[in-house]
Amino acid sequence: MKTMLKYYSERLKEARLKAGLTQIQVRDHTGINNKTLSGYENKISEPDYETLKSLCDLYGVTTDWVLGHTNNPHSKLTEAERDMVEKVELNDDSFIKGDFTFDGVELTEEQKRKLQAMARLLLSQDQQGK
């Protein structure tokens, strides 16, 4: 059995509890036996990717968070954020040449390049999570 990062069991349980679900309710929603789920939450066994994805979708968290790749359990873009980013072309310099402000102060070229890189990363992660 390959070993997942140390966070998965604690974070699966934390996410389930924050979602207000019992192991029985998770079983009813996913078909995953509550004893199997208990094994995941107590480091007795590890879920495969499809099972992990199913649990994360139910709990409203990302697999990256459960696996410890990020400390933000909700790193997916909101619908409004996705709409805004899709209106800006991130694959060329038109974004860099555009006028953007934050708190009334115009962004520098360096700040726009950083923002562009972060938006590309988030969109890439969001598309992979679908």
Side-chain angles (χ1 to χ4, degrees), residues 10-12 14-16 18-19 55-77 122 125-126:
E10 296 163 6
R11 288 189 170 181
L12 278 175
E14 178 183 340
R16 177 179 59 78
K18 282 186 178 179
L55 290 170
C56 288
D57 288 346
L58 178 64
Y59 301 156
V61 299
T62 65
T63 56
D64 279 342
W65 177 75
V66 170
L67 296 174
H69 297 211
T70 180
N71 288 324
N72 180 355
H74 312 290
S75 64
K76 286 189 176 183
L77 298 176
L122 286 172
Q125 290 175 343
D126 193 50

Side-chain angles (χ1 to χ4, degrees), residues 12-118:
L12 278 175
K13 184 172 184 174
E14 178 183 340
R16 177 179 59 78
L17 294 174
K18 282 186 178 179
L21 297 169
T22 66
Q23 290 180 350
I24 300 297
Q25 290 169 317
V26 172
R27 180 197 67 199
D28 294 344
H29 285 284
T30 65
I32 299 168
N33 184 293
N34 56 303
K35 290 181 182 181
T36 301
L37 183 60
S38 178
Y40 300 155
E41 292 181 358
N42 291 295
K43 294 185 182 180
I44 294 169
S45 59
E46 296 177 353
D48 61 32
Y49 180 76
E50 289 303 316
T51 302
L52 180 63
K53 177 94 173 76
S54 176
L55 290 170
C56 288
D57 288 346
L58 178 64
Y59 301 156
V61 299
T62 65
T63 56
D64 279 342
W65 177 75
V66 170
L67 296 174
H69 297 211
T70 180
N71 288 324
N72 180 355
H74 312 290
S75 64
K76 286 189 176 183
L77 298 176
T78 66
E79 196 66 38
E81 290 167 331
R82 191 176 302 110
D83 288 345
M84 183 195 76
V85 172
E86 287 176 356
K87 292 177 182 176
V88 176
E89 181 56 55
L90 296 173
N91 291 324
D92 61 31
D93 282 343
S94 64
F95 175 77
I96 304 303
K97 294 175 186 173
D99 294 328
F100 294 94
T101 61
F102 180 75
D103 283 344
V105 178
E106 189 169 333
L107 297 178
T108 66
E109 183 175 325
E110 180 182 350
Q111 289 170 325
K112 288 186 271 186
R113 289 193 187 282
K114 287 179 181 178
L115 186 58
Q116 182 182 40
M118 289 173 30

